[in-house]
Amino acid sequence: MHRRGFVTLACCLWLAGCSGSALLPAPDLPTTPVILDETAAAAAISRYRASHGLGPVTVDPSLIRAASFQAQSNAKAGHLSHEVGGTFDARLARAGFGGRYAAENLSAGSTTFDEVLRRWQNSPEHNRNMLMPQVRRIGVARVDAPGTRYKRYWALILTSP
């Protein structure tokens, strides 16, 4: 009887391994949204864009909500992924944008907006997103998850009008 119980348990564990993560819930770590000065963030991005001969950006409340959703999704998962909250196109459509020009920058670990902005400027792909000539609107958010490796999760969404 003892052996049969062990074999049953071993088979269940083996089957659970075959089924992927269906039996194991995705991490849902405690998070705290951080209140940012989005206007100051837009001004900093606009100054950077101006130094490259590009027009300014303005804050869009719908994009702030979309960025907050993605930062929160990443913080709850404890890692960075552009897909963790759904596809970028689907999230953008939910925010009311279907713009031809749109991009998303994610980051984790930075304590301040200035720090994350420097990281994005030093990353060729993220920098290219911030310097898209067609971009005019942004939403930015940070969500903290103290129990995770990175502690702080950032999302920046940029779109054309």
Side-chain angles (χ1 to χ4, degrees), residues 1-26:
M1 188 74 171
H2 178 68
R3 180 169 159 65
R4 184 185 313 159
F6 176 76
V7 170
T8 302
L9 176 62
C11 286
C12 287
L13 291 174
W14 178 76
L15 288 172
C18 291
S19 66
S21 61
L23 298 178
L24 300 174

Side-chain angles (χ1 to χ4, degrees), residues 20-84:
S21 61
L23 298 178
L24 300 174
D28 192 12
L29 303 167
T31 62
T32 305
V34 174
I35 296 173
L36 296 178
D37 185 346
E38 293 94 356
T39 304
I45 293 170
S46 292
R47 282 190 302 275
Y48 181 62
R49 289 172 54 84
S51 73
H52 289 83
L54 299 171
V57 295
T58 60
V59 175
D60 185 288
S62 295
L63 292 177
I64 290 172
R65 285 189 295 278
S68 295
F69 175 80
Q70 190 60 8
Q72 177 97 14
S73 297
N74 279 275
K76 282 185 174 189
H79 67 273
L80 284 179
S81 168
H82 289 280
E83 304 298 319
V84 73

